[in-house]
Each structure stands twice: as C-alpha cells, then as structure tokens.
C-alpha cells in the first residue's frame, strides 16, 4: 500500500486544517500557540473530536450500551468528557475503576475486565456495586463467589469467552485465539456457566467476548459473534438464563488512511448475529473514540543529512512518550506545523527520538517535506494508547498534556520538573 501524503492525511482528518498564516490548526486552534505556551513535546486532545466520535457511535448503536475502554486514555479530563456524554466504562484495574468513578462515571455503567483481578480489586468492584464483572477463569469465579458470599451480596457476572477466532491484527494485540491468555475456552463455557448458576455468590448475567484491537475488517467479528449466538442458544436450551452480551471493543482507526469498517458496519454485524435473541448488548471501544482526538507535538532537535541514506530528524518526543511505533511497528502520520512545508516536494526521511535504543523511531522511510532543526511536527492519531503507555525511561519527564474545549486550550497536566523524577526515591542512610 502506498503511504498517504501529508496533504492526504490532513484532508482525511476533519479536526485538522492548515491555515496559510497560523499553520496547523486542531479544532480551529493554532498548535503553534500551544507550543509557545507549553513547549514540546506536548499531547493535545480535542474534546469536540471525542464528543463527535462518541455521538457517532451512539447513532450507530442506539440501543447498545457503550462502555469506553479506559485503558486507551484514562486522563480525568477525557473521562469527564465521556461521562458527560453518558458513556460507561470498561476498566481493568482498581486504578482505572477509581479514575472512572472520580471522573463521574456512575458505578452502574462500569464493567470490570481482565485476567488477573486481585481479591482487593474484586472486593472493590463488589463494594461499589458496578454493573458487571467479566470473569475470565473458573478460579476467578470461585474466588469471586466466596468474596461475595462473605460480603452477603451477589456478584453480577458475565463469563468472558475465548471464541478461538483470529482477529487478523498485530500479534501483540490479538486476544481471542486458541491459547491466548484471555477468556475461557469456548468449549468449557457450557459446564462452567451451569456451575456458576448454582453458586450462591454469583448473579449470572451473560457472556462477554473481546477478540483483539485494531480490527480492520468485520469478518473476525462475524466469526466470533456467530459462535457466541450459537452458545447463547445452547445455554438457553439447557434452561440457563442469559440476558446480557458484551461484544467487546477493537474497532480499527485508519491510521494510514486505509479502509476500515465504519461503526455502522460493526453494528450491523452485531445486529445480524444476535437478532431475535433479545439480549441487552454492550460494546467496549477505546481506540475508535479517542485515537483521532489526540496529537503529539514535537520539535526537531537535530537533522542529520551527511553520509545518511536519507535525512534523519531527531525529535524531542521519543519511545518513552509514545511507544506504539517502537512496540508494534505502528504507522502514525506526521504533519509539519508550518503552512509552507505542506505543499513542498516530498522525500523519504526517518524520524527518531533521542533515546539510546535502536527501536526509538517514530517513523521510518516516511515521505516528508524538507524539514530542519527547530521545525515543529505533529504526530497524528495518538489520543489512544499514547500518554497512558508513557514511561520516564532515560530520565525523561512525562510530556505536558493540553485539552482543547470550546475554543480554549487548558493545560490538563503540566510537564513535571526534572527533580520530580527522584522526589520519592530514598538512598539508604549509609550511602548518603
Ligand atoms: N475490551 C477489552 C477487554 C480490552 O482488552 C480492550 C483493549 C478493549 C476493550 C478496547 O479495545 P480497543 O477498542 O481500544 O481496540 N496498546 C495497544 C492496544 C491494546 C488493547 C488492549 N485491550 C495498542 O497501542 O495498539
């Protein structure tokens, strides 16, 4: 596939515009102003984009509950935007649970997923009376039943099914194949479901499935949901009640302007598979809602051209800030902030971070306009699995975070001073 040009990237993203004077605008605000106020590297999120995308999903899924996968971007401001839109949350740790509650997402709109929930986490889920705990193993089911019984309550449970379907996505984000660590093998479900229905501490609701992330065609969804529908019929044939079905997340975004299914196509796949079964349906999308709502603005520290196969731009954002390219070989668009660069002739260039790792590249062999030291660039579609996956490797403080809302840019997380990196470290007395 041919890479989209910077102009094609821009044209396909409604929240971005190039102004002949102010340069690259995001939600109508010049990114250069944000750089002047907060320097680089800085994450910029557009609240309107988050809202627009959530509403678009809601239109495609009018009767399905939407539980935003908090892991994609758990900033309180992002969660607050979604809470006000009426979204629920899919959480995978006590930290995410508390963040979601803190942002104002009501407990009856929260589901808890994950293969390794601790007793503390399960107890917190019971305590807060969240909507559903997606149980991923017989062992977790037994522990949860015991905890609920001791607390004189019943745990609302769905069993997460591993449907043994390949989502045809990156190896590291596939979750529904035979042998993946997630969910309960589909063949074991009928017996476990029957057993769960007899446990005193368990209020059984239904099933959950999540086959992976960045799912670029509806075919794997169709395969998984067809199996789930058959399973629902089997369970009901054994007089086991099942009222809810969590269809998971995973809808892809077109990072490279590639064709991906629209929300309506995903909704149609779900509707077709489960029609007539009278199930309360939910989805847990993360990436689709927030990825295009975030940019990472960075500055070129140094451009090397001598004796190089192509120009190497070393920028001040690195794999510690944004791990996806180094971790999954992910492709993210890069746009210059300057209006003149957009129409300049393109030539291949590499973009790397300053970290001492050979994998610290943000883009390789990228068709880019001529760029020079001190030029500014925006890395696109980083609103999901961006800042949440940052580290401070190489003693690099976290980047600043800004949210655009109603035409105002708010600093929602300042760049911490370098000394914060060691402010909670202790040196044993005899070494001081
Ligand atoms: N539900 C469950 C149970 C999940 O494990 C996930 C994502 C989601 C929902 C949301 O999936 P989404 O709609 O965002 O695709 N760091 C990786 C992605 C990891 C996804 C983990 N689970 C990346 O940057 O591509």
């Amino acid at each position: 596939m041919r890479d989209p040009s910077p102009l094609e990237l821009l044209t396909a993203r409604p929240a971005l515009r190039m102004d002949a004077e102010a340069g690259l605008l995001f939600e109508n605000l010049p990114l250069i102003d944000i750089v002047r106020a907060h320097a680089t590297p800085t994450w910029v999120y557009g609240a309107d984009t988050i809202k627009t995308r959530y509403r678009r999903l809601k239109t495609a899924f009018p009767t399905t509950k939407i539980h935003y996968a908090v892991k994609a971007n758990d900033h309180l401001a992002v969660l607050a935007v979604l809470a006000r839109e009426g979204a629920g949350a899919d959480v995978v740790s006590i930290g995410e649970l508390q963040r979601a509650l803190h942002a104002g997402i009501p407990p009856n709109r929260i589901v808890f997923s994950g293969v390794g929930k601790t007793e503390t986490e399960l107890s917190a889920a019971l305590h807060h009376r969240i909507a559903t705990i997606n149980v991923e193993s017989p062992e977790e089911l037994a522990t949860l039943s015991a905890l609920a019984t001791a607390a004189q309550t019943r745990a609302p449970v769905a069993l997460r099914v591993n449907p043994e379907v390949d989502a045809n996505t990156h190896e590291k984000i596939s979750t529904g194949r035979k042998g993946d660590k997630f969910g309960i093998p589909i063949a074991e479900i009928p017996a476990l479901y029957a057993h769960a229905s007899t446990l005193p501490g368990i209020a059984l609701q239904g099933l959950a499935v999540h086959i992976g992330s960045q799912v670029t065609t509806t075919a794997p969804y169709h395969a998984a949901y067809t199996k789930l529908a058959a399973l629902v019929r089997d369970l009901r044939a054994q007089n086991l009640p099942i009222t809810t079905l969590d269809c998971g997340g995973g809808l892809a975004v077109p990072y490279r302007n590639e064709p991906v299914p629209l929300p309506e196509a995903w909704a149609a796949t779900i509707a077709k598979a489960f029609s007539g079964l009278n199930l309360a349906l939910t989805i847990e999308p993360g990436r689709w809602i927030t990825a295009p709502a975030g940019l990472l603005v960075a500055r070129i520290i140094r451009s090397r051209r001598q004796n190089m196969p192509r120009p190497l731009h070393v920028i001040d954002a690195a794999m510690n800030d944004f791990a996806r390219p180094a971790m999954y070989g992910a492709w993210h668009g890069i746009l210059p902030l300057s209006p003149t660069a957009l129409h300049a002739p393109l030539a291949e260039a590499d973009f790397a971070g300053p970290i001492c790792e050979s994998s610290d590249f943000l883009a390789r062999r990228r068709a880019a306009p001529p760029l020079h030291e001190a030029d500014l660039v925006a890395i696109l579609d980083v609103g999901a699995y961006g800042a949440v996956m940052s580290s401070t490797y190489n003693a690099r403080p976290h980047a600043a975070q800004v949210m655009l809302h109603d035409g105002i840019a708010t600093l929602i997380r300042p760049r911490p001073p370098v000394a914060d990196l060691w402010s909670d470290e202790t040196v044993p007395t005899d070494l001081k």
Side-chain angles (χ1 to χ4, degrees):
M1 196 185 77
R2 184 183 68 82
D3 283 348
S5 68
L7 192 59
E8 287 165 332
L9 288 169
L10 183 75
T11 314
R13 285 162 180 72
L16 288 171
R17 200 154 55 80
M18 190 59 93
D19 181 88
E21 261 139 52
L24 192 60
L25 308 183
F26 185 38
E27 296 193 351
N28 293 319
L29 290 177
L31 288 167
I32 184 73
D33 290 352
I34 291 165
V35 174
R36 287 197 183 110
H38 306 295
T40 52
T42 293
W43 304 94
V44 186
Y45 306 129
D48 280 346
T49 305
I50 299 174
K51 283 187 215 170
T52 308
R53 295 184 72 82
Y54 180 80
R55 289 175 192 177
R56 172 77 193 277
L57 268 188
K58 203 62 227 165
T59 310
F61 287 90
T63 58
T64 298
K65 284 192 210 139
I66 303 176
H67 293 143
Y68 168 65
V70 169
K71 65 171 81 69
N73 186 328
D74 65 11
H75 194 291
L76 285 184
V78 170
L79 298 181
V81 171
L82 289 166
R84 283 168 63 160
E85 291 296 310
D90 165 57
V91 302
V92 293
S93 68
I94 194 164
E96 285 190 358
L97 172 60
Q98 286 173 357
R99 268 184 184 273
L101 291 169
H102 195 71
I105 297 178
N108 64 4
R109 292 210 201 112
I110 298 179
V111 301
F112 203 141
S113 306
V115 289
K117 303 178 203 83
T118 63
E119 291 196 9
T120 309
E121 290 177 319
L122 292 171
S123 297
L126 292 174
H127 171 78
H128 289 289
R129 303 191 171 283
I130 68 166
T132 310
I133 301 171
N134 287 339
V135 165
E136 302 218 13
S137 64
E139 295 79 5
E140 183 187 348
L141 184 70
T143 303
L144 182 57
S145 179
L147 287 170
T149 312
Q152 296 184 335
T153 182
R154 295 178 79 208
V157 160
L159 295 186
R160 175 162 171 191
V161 182
N162 180 329
E164 299 180 357
V165 164
D166 190 340
N168 282 323
T169 181
H170 192 279
E171 166 68 24
K172 291 182 185 167
I173 51 177
S174 246
T175 52
R177 296 166 306 183
K178 194 181 171 87
D180 281 337
K181 74 174 178 181
F182 301 96
I184 298 155
I186 189 160
E188 293 173 25
I189 292 286
L192 192 65
Y193 201 92
H195 172 64
S197 72
T198 66
L199 292 176
I202 300 295
L204 206 48
Q205 297 176 338
L207 300 171
V209 65
H210 172 75
I211 56 172
S213 197
Q214 187 62 9
V215 179
T216 53
T217 67
T218 54
Y221 283 131
H222 174 77
Y225 299 150
T226 308
K227 288 187 173 188
L228 266 281
L231 187 56
V232 170
R233 292 193 176 91
D234 279 0
L235 295 174
R236 285 187 174 159
Q238 294 173 51
N239 280 328
L240 293 165
I242 151 156
T243 52
T244 68
L245 205 134
D246 181 338
C247 302
L251 189 62
V253 299
Y255 289 115
R256 218 167 176 160
N257 285 8
E258 65 270 51
V260 291
L262 297 175
E264 289 75 12
W266 186 26
T269 308
I270 290 176
K272 194 169 157 216
F274 301 118
S275 78
L277 288 179
N278 190 26
L279 291 161
L281 298 172
T282 59
I283 51 171
E284 311 170 340
R287 184 191 312 269
W288 196 88
I289 297 176
T290 47
L295 309 175
L296 177 58
V297 184
R299 188 184 287 282
I300 297 177
I301 303 171
R302 195 149 295 122
S303 279
R304 291 176 56 198
R305 283 152 219 278
Q306 300 293 321
N307 303 321
M308 306 288 287
R310 50 194 167 268
L312 170 69
H313 305 300
V314 182
I315 63 176
D316 62 3
M319 65 188 283
N320 74 297
D321 302 299
F322 187 49
R324 299 197 75 252
M327 198 161 169
Y328 316 110
W331 195 102
H332 283 259
I334 298 185
L335 289 182
L337 260 55
S338 140
T340 47
L342 190 67
H343 300 281
L346 305 176
E348 277 190 353
D350 291 335
F351 293 82
I355 284 191
C356 304
E357 298 264 353
S358 305
S359 58
D360 185 23
F361 274 84
L362 285 307
R364 291 184 201 247
R365 306 196 78 118
R366 188 57 60 84
L371 291 166
H372 305 94
E373 214 166 289
D375 282 350
L376 294 160
V377 293
I379 305 169
L380 308 184
D381 306 320
V382 301
Y385 308 111
V388 280
M389 291 174 70
S390 294
S391 76
T392 57
Y393 184 40
N394 278 206
R396 294 167 49 87
H398 286 297
Q401 298 186 49
V402 168
M403 177 175 271
L404 314 180
H405 184 233
D406 285 346
I408 296 170
T410 306
L411 181 64
I412 56 171
R413 192 177 180 198
R415 188 184 316 285
V418 172
D420 275 17
L421 289 173
W422 56 84
S423 61
D424 55 359
E425 293 179 9
T426 299
V427 178
T429 324
D430 57 341
L431 293 178
K432 275 190 187 149

